[in-house]
Amino acid sequence: MGLFGNIIDNAKKNAVKQYNADKKAADRKAEKKEAKVAQERQDSYNGWIRDEVDKATKD
């Protein structure tokens, strides 16, 4: 294979490692964003429930 073949193989391996690292980082970022959206939705729902309870108890 020779020196040039080894250089190409190493470059391929490094590219795969970088791709996998980037993919994991993107997945983590997406999970954080999904969790943030879910938390905002839950907070909104909790606020709505709190408002409805306040309305019901004021009467």
Side-chain angles (χ1 to χ4, degrees), residues 7-46:
I7 292 171
I8 291 174
D9 284 345
N10 287 337
K12 286 180 184 178
K13 289 177 185 176
N14 288 336
V16 169
K17 286 180 185 177
Q18 186 62 47
Y19 171 81
N20 289 338
D22 291 346
K23 176 91 171 94
K24 286 180 183 178
D27 289 345
R28 284 192 302 271
K29 185 176 181 180
E31 287 172 2
K32 286 180 182 179
K33 185 175 182 180
E34 290 171 4
K36 182 178 179 183
V37 168
Q39 185 63 51
E40 288 171 352
R41 189 177 302 122
Q42 185 65 43
D43 291 345
S44 176
Y45 177 74
N46 290 345

